[in-house]
Amino acid sequence: MELLNTPELEAFRQEVRAFLAANLTDEIRRNVRENMYPDREMHSNWHALLLKKGWAAPGWPKKYGGCEWPLEKHYIFEREFALADAPRPIIFNFDMVGPMFIEFGTEEQRKRFLPRALTGEDRWCQGFSEPGAGSDLASLQCRAKREGDHYVLNGTKIWTSLGLECDMMFGLFRTDGSGKKQEGITVLVMSTTLPGFTRQPIRLIDGSVEVCQCFFDDVKVPVENLVGEEGKGWGIAKHLLGLERLGTAEVARTRAMIARLKQAAREETGGGAPLIEDPFFAGKIAELETELDALDITEFRFLFDPEKKGILGPEASILKLCGTVAQMRAAELIMEAAGHYAIPLDDPGHRGNFGPIGPEFAAAAAGMYFNLRKIAIYGGSNEIQRNIVSKAVLGL
Ligand SMILES: Cc1cc2nc3c(=O)[nH]c(=O)nc-3n(C[C@H](O)[C@H](O)[C@H](O)COP(=O)(O)OP(=O)(O)OC[C@H]3O[C@@H](n4cnc5c(N)ncnc54)[C@H](O)[C@@H]3O)c2cc1C
């Protein structure tokens, strides 16, 4: 679907493709396919290339080192990167921390935090969820008590993505529990090296360790690390969670998965013929591609609606819901194509003396299938998205 095809946008598309052809090696591609969060060193090297090209922060204003592209260019850029299996940006730095400081921070905070977020010297994580506060986030209990020129933090955050390796956290903390639960919530940012801050890894169903639980035991955070006003963090959180949902549709990444699936189905045989010639399997791929075509057009329609100017409301829930269902379905079909070769948990990073088992694509099939169950949970679970759609779109 090449709907954005003015001469200027087409020239930009070709420039992006040329950059990817020159820099995206097979090794990086493989790393991206096999890991949701690729190897840190590889990712840092990739980020350095983007910085040099001036493409590290497509959505940020030029003043802070961003590209300040119009939505059309940003869309083309993201789409081409995803279709090529290029690494994702350092997600929290660029999609959340940047927009948060630009929209709600002070100029002093922007000067202090944005340059290091841009270069990737600081990697950020998001401390929102707690053991009793996920879907019902406003019930959060991790406390921040003002004492002189510091807040003193006590409690815990859980499911912190990249929490183990990050340098900085932005989080929601309860500064007042006397009013409605959405009131008295405050956004604070902090270094993860502060005394009293500890973390414990959580192993996911595929064996990976992408998330952790963080503990705060009298952690002292200076008041200048308060973002916005004390007690007004709920509005900031809602704004940031809206941004997170948009990125989760991942239409182009799923298209790249389907392209790999088709390639595998041409090479794999079932009953003596290539799998792609099995009408039942081919039908399943066609069904998913049709869904994805519809989703692609729906996303395009939402994003480029002249009245909405790229700002999505409940439409973001439709994209998140349908996008994650399609992506999980693609992972399921890749498992099906791998067949019994997907049974061994063949962790490509730890093969020891064993060689790969079965065709190359099968090595990561099971891990990816199990890992991707998470996309129906984070960023607002799919049940919660259905609630939003039923109320705000269908008026039920
Ligand atoms: C891999 C992973 C990474 C994550 N990364 C981060 C991160 O970086 N930072 C962060 O802050 N959080 C993160 N999260 C947390 C995530 O946002 C929460 O897990 C999510 O919001 C669900 O909350 P919960 O786990 O407390 O489940 P609960 O809210 O307890 O939900 C349990 C089940 O009940 C359903 N449910 C709940 N309420 C309703 C309702 N009203 N109607 C219908 N069904 C309902 C849910 O859909 C779910 O199926 C991550 C989670 C995962 C799994």
Side-chain angles (χ1 to χ4, degrees), residues 117-175:
L118 180 71
T119 57
E121 278 163 278
D122 282 342
R123 289 188 175 231
W124 287 74
C125 67
Q126 176 197 16
F128 281 15
S129 305
E130 296 177 11
S135 304
D136 184 15
L137 185 58
S139 292
L140 63 94
Q141 293 298 331
C142 196
R143 290 206 64 91
K145 191 162 172 256
R146 177 85 187 253
E147 285 183 10
D149 54 1
H150 282 84
Y151 287 97
V152 180
L153 274 48
N154 280 289
T156 184
K157 293 285 170 187
I158 198 167
W159 305 117
T160 315
S161 296
L162 299 180
L164 286 175
E165 56 175 88
C166 68
D167 314 287
M168 298 289 296
M169 174 186 274
F170 64 101
L172 298 176
F173 298 89
R174 183 150 304 281
T175 39

Short mmCIF file of all heavy atoms in Angstrom, two decimals, residues 117-175:
data_model
loop_
_atom_site.label_atom_id
_atom_site.label_comp_id
_atom_site.label_asym_id
_atom_site.label_seq_id
_atom_site.Cartn_x
_atom_site.Cartn_y
_atom_site.Cartn_z
N ALA A 117 18.85 11.18 26.68
CA ALA A 117 17.85 10.23 26.15
C ALA A 117 18.04 10.10 24.63
O ALA A 117 17.91 9.02 24.06
CB ALA A 117 16.44 10.72 26.47
N LEU A 118 18.38 11.22 24.00
CA LEU A 118 18.57 11.21 22.54
C LEU A 118 19.75 10.33 22.14
O LEU A 118 19.66 9.53 21.20
CB LEU A 118 18.81 12.66 22.06
CG LEU A 118 19.05 12.83 20.56
CD1 LEU A 118 17.77 12.59 19.78
CD2 LEU A 118 19.56 14.24 20.24
N THR A 119 20.86 10.47 22.85
CA THR A 119 22.05 9.68 22.48
C THR A 119 21.93 8.23 22.94
O THR A 119 22.69 7.38 22.47
CB THR A 119 23.32 10.26 23.13
OG1 THR A 119 23.12 10.30 24.55
CG2 THR A 119 23.65 11.65 22.62
N GLY A 120 21.01 7.96 23.85
CA GLY A 120 20.89 6.60 24.37
C GLY A 120 21.83 6.36 25.55
O GLY A 120 21.91 5.24 26.06
N GLU A 121 22.55 7.42 25.98
CA GLU A 121 23.42 7.25 27.18
C GLU A 121 22.56 6.85 28.37
O GLU A 121 22.99 6.07 29.21
CB GLU A 121 24.11 8.57 27.50
CG GLU A 121 25.35 8.85 26.69
CD GLU A 121 25.70 10.32 26.78
OE1 GLU A 121 25.09 11.12 26.04
OE2 GLU A 121 26.57 10.67 27.59
N ASP A 122 21.38 7.44 28.46
CA ASP A 122 20.41 7.02 29.48
C ASP A 122 19.34 6.19 28.80
O ASP A 122 18.70 6.65 27.84
CB ASP A 122 19.72 8.24 30.12
CG ASP A 122 20.60 8.92 31.13
OD1 ASP A 122 21.58 8.30 31.60
OD2 ASP A 122 20.30 10.09 31.45
N ARG A 123 19.14 5.00 29.29
CA ARG A 123 18.00 4.19 28.82
C ARG A 123 16.93 4.23 29.90
O ARG A 123 17.22 4.01 31.07
CB ARG A 123 18.43 2.76 28.57
CG ARG A 123 19.30 2.70 27.34
CD ARG A 123 19.59 1.29 26.95
NE ARG A 123 20.33 1.31 25.70
CZ ARG A 123 20.00 0.62 24.62
NH1 ARG A 123 18.97 -0.18 24.63
NH2 ARG A 123 20.71 0.71 23.53
N TRP A 124 15.71 4.51 29.49
CA TRP A 124 14.63 4.73 30.44
C TRP A 124 13.69 3.53 30.51
O TRP A 124 13.53 2.80 29.54
CB TRP A 124 13.82 5.97 30.03
CG TRP A 124 14.53 7.26 30.27
CD1 TRP A 124 15.57 7.77 29.54
CD2 TRP A 124 14.26 8.22 31.30
NE1 TRP A 124 15.95 8.99 30.06
CE2 TRP A 124 15.17 9.29 31.14
CE3 TRP A 124 13.34 8.28 32.34
CZ2 TRP A 124 15.18 10.40 31.98
CZ3 TRP A 124 13.34 9.39 33.18
CH2 TRP A 124 14.25 10.43 33.01
N CYS A 125 13.05 3.39 31.68
CA CYS A 125 11.98 2.40 31.81
C CYS A 125 10.77 3.07 32.45
O CYS A 125 10.88 4.18 32.98
CB CYS A 125 12.44 1.21 32.64
SG CYS A 125 12.74 1.61 34.36
N GLN A 126 9.64 2.37 32.36
CA GLN A 126 8.37 2.94 32.80
C GLN A 126 7.89 2.24 34.06
O GLN A 126 7.58 1.04 34.03
CB GLN A 126 7.34 2.75 31.68
CG GLN A 126 5.95 3.19 32.02
CD GLN A 126 4.93 2.60 31.04
OE1 GLN A 126 5.21 1.66 30.30
NE2 GLN A 126 3.74 3.15 31.05
N GLY A 127 7.82 2.96 35.18
CA GLY A 127 7.37 2.37 36.44
C GLY A 127 5.94 2.79 36.74
O GLY A 127 5.71 3.72 37.53
N PHE A 128 4.98 2.14 36.11
CA PHE A 128 3.57 2.45 36.36
C PHE A 128 2.91 1.32 37.16
O PHE A 128 2.39 1.53 38.24
CB PHE A 128 2.80 2.62 35.03
CG PHE A 128 2.99 3.95 34.34
CD1 PHE A 128 4.02 4.81 34.70
CD2 PHE A 128 2.15 4.35 33.31
CE1 PHE A 128 4.20 6.03 34.06
CE2 PHE A 128 2.32 5.57 32.67
CZ PHE A 128 3.34 6.40 33.04
N SER A 129 2.95 0.08 36.62
CA SER A 129 2.16 -1.02 37.20
C SER A 129 2.70 -1.48 38.55
O SER A 129 3.90 -1.41 38.80
CB SER A 129 2.17 -2.22 36.26
OG SER A 129 1.73 -1.84 34.99
N GLU A 130 1.78 -1.96 39.37
CA GLU A 130 2.12 -2.54 40.68
C GLU A 130 1.35 -3.85 40.82
O GLU A 130 0.40 -4.09 40.08
CB GLU A 130 1.71 -1.57 41.80
CG GLU A 130 2.49 -0.26 41.75
CD GLU A 130 2.04 0.74 42.81
OE1 GLU A 130 1.27 0.36 43.73
OE2 GLU A 130 2.46 1.90 42.71
N PRO A 131 1.73 -4.67 41.81
CA PRO A 131 1.03 -5.95 41.96
C PRO A 131 -0.50 -5.79 42.05
O PRO A 131 -1.23 -6.59 41.51
CB PRO A 131 1.63 -6.52 43.24
CG PRO A 131 3.02 -5.97 43.26
CD PRO A 131 2.91 -4.60 42.69
N GLY A 132 -0.99 -4.73 42.68
CA GLY A 132 -2.46 -4.56 42.77
C GLY A 132 -2.99 -3.48 41.85
O GLY A 132 -4.12 -3.03 42.01
N ALA A 133 -2.17 -3.03 40.90
CA ALA A 133 -2.60 -1.91 40.05
C ALA A 133 -2.03 -2.07 38.64
O ALA A 133 -0.91 -1.66 38.36
CB ALA A 133 -2.13 -0.58 40.65
N GLY A 134 -2.82 -2.76 37.78
CA GLY A 134 -2.44 -2.92 36.38
C GLY A 134 -3.51 -2.28 35.53
O GLY A 134 -3.46 -1.09 35.19
N SER A 135 -4.57 -3.05 35.23
CA SER A 135 -5.71 -2.48 34.50
C SER A 135 -6.31 -1.33 35.31
O SER A 135 -6.68 -0.29 34.77
CB SER A 135 -6.79 -3.54 34.30
OG SER A 135 -6.26 -4.65 33.63
N ASP A 136 -6.37 -1.53 36.60
CA ASP A 136 -6.89 -0.49 37.50
C ASP A 136 -5.71 0.31 38.03
O ASP A 136 -5.42 0.33 39.22
CB ASP A 136 -7.67 -1.17 38.64
CG ASP A 136 -8.32 -0.16 39.56
OD1 ASP A 136 -8.42 1.03 39.19
OD2 ASP A 136 -8.70 -0.57 40.68
N LEU A 137 -5.04 1.01 37.12
CA LEU A 137 -3.77 1.66 37.45
C LEU A 137 -3.90 2.72 38.55
O LEU A 137 -2.99 2.91 39.36
CB LEU A 137 -3.20 2.29 36.17
CG LEU A 137 -1.82 2.92 36.24
CD1 LEU A 137 -0.78 1.92 36.71
CD2 LEU A 137 -1.42 3.49 34.89
N ALA A 138 -5.06 3.38 38.57
CA ALA A 138 -5.23 4.46 39.55
C ALA A 138 -5.22 3.96 40.99
O ALA A 138 -5.14 4.77 41.93
CB ALA A 138 -6.53 5.22 39.25
N SER A 139 -5.29 2.64 41.19
CA SER A 139 -5.22 2.10 42.56
C SER A 139 -3.79 2.01 43.08
O SER A 139 -3.56 1.42 44.14
CB SER A 139 -5.83 0.69 42.60
OG SER A 139 -7.19 0.76 42.36
N LEU A 140 -2.84 2.54 42.36
CA LEU A 140 -1.43 2.36 42.75
C LEU A 140 -1.14 2.91 44.15
O LEU A 140 -1.73 3.90 44.59
CB LEU A 140 -0.51 3.00 41.71
CG LEU A 140 -0.56 4.50 41.47
CD1 LEU A 140 0.47 5.20 42.31
CD2 LEU A 140 -0.34 4.79 40.00
N GLN A 141 -0.23 2.22 44.83
CA GLN A 141 0.03 2.50 46.25
C GLN A 141 1.47 2.86 46.55
O GLN A 141 1.79 3.17 47.70
CB GLN A 141 -0.32 1.25 47.09
CG GLN A 141 -1.80 0.91 47.12
CD GLN A 141 -2.62 2.02 47.74
OE1 GLN A 141 -2.14 2.76 48.60
NE2 GLN A 141 -3.85 2.16 47.28
N CYS A 142 2.38 2.76 45.61
CA CYS A 142 3.79 3.06 45.88
C CYS A 142 3.87 4.54 46.31
O CYS A 142 3.49 5.44 45.55
CB CYS A 142 4.61 2.80 44.61
SG CYS A 142 6.37 2.70 44.92
N ARG A 143 4.35 4.79 47.51
CA ARG A 143 4.20 6.11 48.12
C ARG A 143 5.42 7.00 47.89
O ARG A 143 6.56 6.53 47.88
CB ARG A 143 3.98 5.99 49.63
CG ARG A 143 2.63 5.42 49.99
CD ARG A 143 2.21 5.87 51.37
NE ARG A 143 2.02 7.31 51.43
CZ ARG A 143 0.87 7.93 51.20
NH1 ARG A 143 -0.20 7.24 50.88
NH2 ARG A 143 0.77 9.24 51.29
N ALA A 144 5.16 8.30 47.74
CA ALA A 144 6.23 9.30 47.71
C ALA A 144 5.85 10.36 48.73
O ALA A 144 4.84 11.05 48.58
CB ALA A 144 6.36 9.91 46.33
N LYS A 145 6.65 10.46 49.80
CA LYS A 145 6.32 11.40 50.88
C LYS A 145 7.30 12.55 50.82
O LYS A 145 8.52 12.33 50.79
CB LYS A 145 6.45 10.66 52.21
CG LYS A 145 5.89 11.39 53.38
CD LYS A 145 5.66 10.40 54.54
CE LYS A 145 5.29 11.14 55.80
NZ LYS A 145 6.35 11.25 56.77
N ARG A 146 6.77 13.77 50.75
CA ARG A 146 7.65 14.94 50.67
C ARG A 146 8.32 15.17 52.02
O ARG A 146 7.66 15.29 53.04
CB ARG A 146 6.81 16.16 50.26
CG ARG A 146 7.55 17.47 50.20
CD ARG A 146 8.25 17.67 48.87
NE ARG A 146 9.08 18.86 48.92
CZ ARG A 146 8.80 19.99 48.30
NH1 ARG A 146 7.71 20.10 47.57
NH2 ARG A 146 9.63 21.03 48.39
N GLU A 147 9.67 15.21 52.01
CA GLU A 147 10.41 15.54 53.24
C GLU A 147 11.48 16.56 52.85
O GLU A 147 12.49 16.19 52.24
CB GLU A 147 11.07 14.28 53.83
CG GLU A 147 10.06 13.37 54.52
CD GLU A 147 10.69 12.15 55.18
OE1 GLU A 147 11.93 12.09 55.28
OE2 GLU A 147 9.92 11.26 55.58
N GLY A 148 11.22 17.85 53.12
CA GLY A 148 12.17 18.91 52.75
C GLY A 148 12.31 19.00 51.25
O GLY A 148 11.31 19.10 50.52
N ASP A 149 13.53 18.91 50.75
CA ASP A 149 13.74 19.06 49.30
C ASP A 149 13.81 17.70 48.59
O ASP A 149 14.36 17.59 47.50
CB ASP A 149 15.00 19.90 49.01
CG ASP A 149 16.22 19.32 49.71
OD1 ASP A 149 16.07 18.28 50.39
OD2 ASP A 149 17.32 19.90 49.58
N HIS A 150 13.24 16.66 49.25
CA HIS A 150 13.20 15.33 48.63
C HIS A 150 11.82 14.70 48.75
O HIS A 150 11.04 15.08 49.63
CB HIS A 150 14.19 14.38 49.34
CG HIS A 150 15.61 14.59 48.94
ND1 HIS A 150 16.40 15.56 49.51
CD2 HIS A 150 16.37 13.98 48.00
CE1 HIS A 150 17.60 15.52 48.94
NE2 HIS A 150 17.60 14.57 48.03
N TYR A 151 11.55 13.74 47.86
CA TYR A 151 10.46 12.79 48.08
C TYR A 151 11.10 11.49 48.55
O TYR A 151 12.14 11.08 48.01
CB TYR A 151 9.69 12.52 46.79
CG TYR A 151 8.81 13.67 46.36
CD1 TYR A 151 9.25 14.58 45.41
CD2 TYR A 151 7.54 13.83 46.89
CE1 TYR A 151 8.45 15.64 45.01
CE2 TYR A 151 6.72 14.89 46.51
CZ TYR A 151 7.18 15.79 45.56
OH TYR A 151 6.38 16.83 45.18
N VAL A 152 10.48 10.84 49.53
CA VAL A 152 10.99 9.55 50.00
C VAL A 152 10.02 8.46 49.52
O VAL A 152 8.82 8.50 49.83
CB VAL A 152 11.14 9.54 51.53
CG1 VAL A 152 11.66 8.18 52.00
CG2 VAL A 152 12.07 10.65 51.97
N LEU A 153 10.56 7.52 48.72
CA LEU A 153 9.71 6.53 48.05
C LEU A 153 9.77 5.18 48.75
O LEU A 153 10.87 4.70 49.08
CB LEU A 153 10.20 6.33 46.60
CG LEU A 153 9.68 7.29 45.53
CD1 LEU A 153 9.78 8.74 45.95
CD2 LEU A 153 10.42 7.06 44.22
N ASN A 154 8.59 4.57 48.92
CA ASN A 154 8.50 3.22 49.49
C ASN A 154 7.41 2.43 48.78
O ASN A 154 6.31 2.94 48.58
CB ASN A 154 8.19 3.28 50.99
CG ASN A 154 9.44 3.59 51.80
OD1 ASN A 154 10.33 2.75 51.94
ND2 ASN A 154 9.52 4.81 52.31
N GLY A 155 7.74 1.19 48.42
CA GLY A 155 6.76 0.34 47.76
C GLY A 155 7.40 -0.44 46.63
O GLY A 155 8.61 -0.67 46.63
N THR A 156 6.58 -0.83 45.67
CA THR A 156 7.11 -1.67 44.58
C THR A 156 6.42 -1.37 43.25
O THR A 156 5.29 -0.91 43.23
CB THR A 156 6.94 -3.17 44.94
OG1 THR A 156 7.54 -3.97 43.93
CG2 THR A 156 5.50 -3.58 45.11
N LYS A 157 7.14 -1.61 42.17
CA LYS A 157 6.60 -1.56 40.81
C LYS A 157 6.89 -2.91 40.18
O LYS A 157 7.94 -3.53 40.46
CB LYS A 157 7.31 -0.45 39.99
CG LYS A 157 7.01 0.95 40.49
CD LYS A 157 5.62 1.38 40.08
CE LYS A 157 5.19 2.66 40.75
NZ LYS A 157 3.76 2.98 40.48
N ILE A 158 5.99 -3.36 39.30
CA ILE A 158 6.20 -4.69 38.72
C ILE A 158 6.01 -4.66 37.20
O ILE A 158 5.45 -3.70 36.67
CB ILE A 158 5.24 -5.72 39.39
CG1 ILE A 158 5.74 -7.15 39.13
CG2 ILE A 158 3.82 -5.53 38.94
CD1 ILE A 158 5.05 -8.21 40.00
N TRP A 159 6.54 -5.68 36.55
CA TRP A 159 6.46 -5.83 35.08
C TRP A 159 7.21 -4.72 34.37
O TRP A 159 6.78 -4.26 33.32
CB TRP A 159 5.00 -5.87 34.58
CG TRP A 159 4.14 -6.90 35.21
CD1 TRP A 159 3.03 -6.68 35.96
CD2 TRP A 159 4.32 -8.32 35.16
NE1 TRP A 159 2.51 -7.87 36.39
CE2 TRP A 159 3.28 -8.90 35.91
CE3 TRP A 159 5.26 -9.17 34.56
CZ2 TRP A 159 3.16 -10.27 36.09
CZ3 TRP A 159 5.14 -10.53 34.74
CH2 TRP A 159 4.08 -11.06 35.48
N THR A 160 8.29 -4.25 34.96
CA THR A 160 9.01 -3.12 34.36
C THR A 160 9.85 -3.63 33.19
O THR A 160 10.88 -4.29 33.39
CB THR A 160 9.92 -2.46 35.42
OG1 THR A 160 9.16 -2.33 36.63
CG2 THR A 160 10.41 -1.12 34.95
N SER A 161 9.43 -3.29 31.96
CA SER A 161 10.16 -3.74 30.77
C SER A 161 11.52 -3.07 30.73
O SER A 161 11.62 -1.86 30.95
CB SER A 161 9.40 -3.37 29.49
OG SER A 161 8.19 -4.05 29.43
N LEU A 162 12.53 -3.83 30.43
CA LEU A 162 13.92 -3.35 30.35
C LEU A 162 14.42 -2.77 31.66
O LEU A 162 15.45 -2.10 31.69
CB LEU A 162 14.08 -2.30 29.23
CG LEU A 162 13.75 -2.78 27.82
CD1 LEU A 162 13.94 -1.67 26.81
CD2 LEU A 162 14.63 -3.96 27.43
N GLY A 163 13.65 -3.02 32.74
CA GLY A 163 14.01 -2.44 34.03
C GLY A 163 15.37 -2.87 34.53
O GLY A 163 16.04 -2.11 35.23
N LEU A 164 15.79 -4.07 34.16
CA LEU A 164 17.07 -4.57 34.68
C LEU A 164 18.25 -3.83 34.11
O LEU A 164 19.29 -3.71 34.76
CB LEU A 164 17.22 -6.07 34.36
CG LEU A 164 16.37 -7.02 35.19
CD1 LEU A 164 16.54 -8.43 34.67
CD2 LEU A 164 16.73 -6.94 36.66
N GLU A 165 18.13 -3.35 32.89
CA GLU A 165 19.29 -2.73 32.26
C GLU A 165 19.15 -1.22 32.10
O GLU A 165 20.03 -0.57 31.54
CB GLU A 165 19.56 -3.36 30.89
CG GLU A 165 18.38 -3.31 29.96
CD GLU A 165 18.74 -3.84 28.57
OE1 GLU A 165 18.65 -5.05 28.36
OE2 GLU A 165 19.13 -3.01 27.73
N CYS A 166 18.05 -0.64 32.58
CA CYS A 166 17.86 0.79 32.33
C CYS A 166 18.63 1.63 33.36
O CYS A 166 19.03 1.16 34.42
CB CYS A 166 16.38 1.14 32.36
SG CYS A 166 15.74 0.98 34.00
N ASP A 167 18.85 2.89 32.99
CA ASP A 167 19.59 3.81 33.86
C ASP A 167 18.64 4.75 34.61
O ASP A 167 18.98 5.29 35.65
CB ASP A 167 20.53 4.68 32.99
CG ASP A 167 21.29 3.83 32.00
OD1 ASP A 167 22.20 3.11 32.44
OD2 ASP A 167 20.96 3.84 30.79
N MET A 168 17.46 4.98 34.01
CA MET A 168 16.53 5.96 34.57
C MET A 168 15.11 5.39 34.54
O MET A 168 14.79 4.59 33.67
CB MET A 168 16.53 7.24 33.71
CG MET A 168 17.84 7.97 33.61
SD MET A 168 18.33 8.79 35.15
CE MET A 168 17.03 10.00 35.37
N MET A 169 14.30 5.85 35.49
CA MET A 169 12.89 5.44 35.50
C MET A 169 12.00 6.69 35.57
O MET A 169 12.33 7.64 36.27
CB MET A 169 12.59 4.55 36.71
CG MET A 169 11.10 4.23 36.85
SD MET A 169 10.70 3.34 38.37
CE MET A 169 10.98 1.67 37.87
N PHE A 170 10.89 6.67 34.83
CA PHE A 170 9.81 7.64 35.07
C PHE A 170 8.66 6.83 35.64
O PHE A 170 8.37 5.73 35.14
CB PHE A 170 9.43 8.41 33.81
CG PHE A 170 8.84 7.56 32.71
CD1 PHE A 170 7.47 7.53 32.48
CD2 PHE A 170 9.66 6.80 31.90
CE1 PHE A 170 6.93 6.74 31.46
CE2 PHE A 170 9.14 5.99 30.88
CZ PHE A 170 7.77 5.97 30.66
N GLY A 171 8.06 7.32 36.71
CA GLY A 171 7.05 6.49 37.36
C GLY A 171 5.94 7.31 38.00
O GLY A 171 6.01 8.53 38.12
N LEU A 172 4.90 6.57 38.40
CA LEU A 172 3.74 7.18 39.08
C LEU A 172 3.79 6.80 40.54
O LEU A 172 3.93 5.62 40.87
CB LEU A 172 2.45 6.65 38.47
CG LEU A 172 2.20 6.93 37.00
CD1 LEU A 172 0.90 6.24 36.56
CD2 LEU A 172 2.08 8.43 36.76
N PHE A 173 3.64 7.80 41.39
CA PHE A 173 3.73 7.55 42.83
C PHE A 173 2.60 8.27 43.55
O PHE A 173 2.15 9.32 43.10
CB PHE A 173 5.11 8.02 43.34
CG PHE A 173 6.22 7.27 42.68
CD1 PHE A 173 6.78 7.72 41.49
CD2 PHE A 173 6.66 6.06 43.20
CE1 PHE A 173 7.77 6.99 40.84
CE2 PHE A 173 7.64 5.32 42.56
CZ PHE A 173 8.21 5.79 41.38
N ARG A 174 2.18 7.65 44.66
CA ARG A 174 1.07 8.25 45.40
C ARG A 174 1.60 9.25 46.43
O ARG A 174 2.37 8.88 47.31
CB ARG A 174 0.22 7.16 46.09
CG ARG A 174 -0.97 7.75 46.80
CD ARG A 174 -2.18 6.85 46.87
NE ARG A 174 -2.72 6.33 45.64
CZ ARG A 174 -3.51 7.01 44.81
NH1 ARG A 174 -3.82 8.28 45.07
NH2 ARG A 174 -3.98 6.44 43.72
N THR A 175 1.22 10.52 46.23
CA THR A 175 1.63 11.55 47.19
C THR A 175 0.48 11.91 48.13
O THR A 175 0.68 12.57 49.14
CB THR A 175 2.12 12.82 46.45
OG1 THR A 175 1.29 13.05 45.32
CG2 THR A 175 3.55 12.65 45.99
#
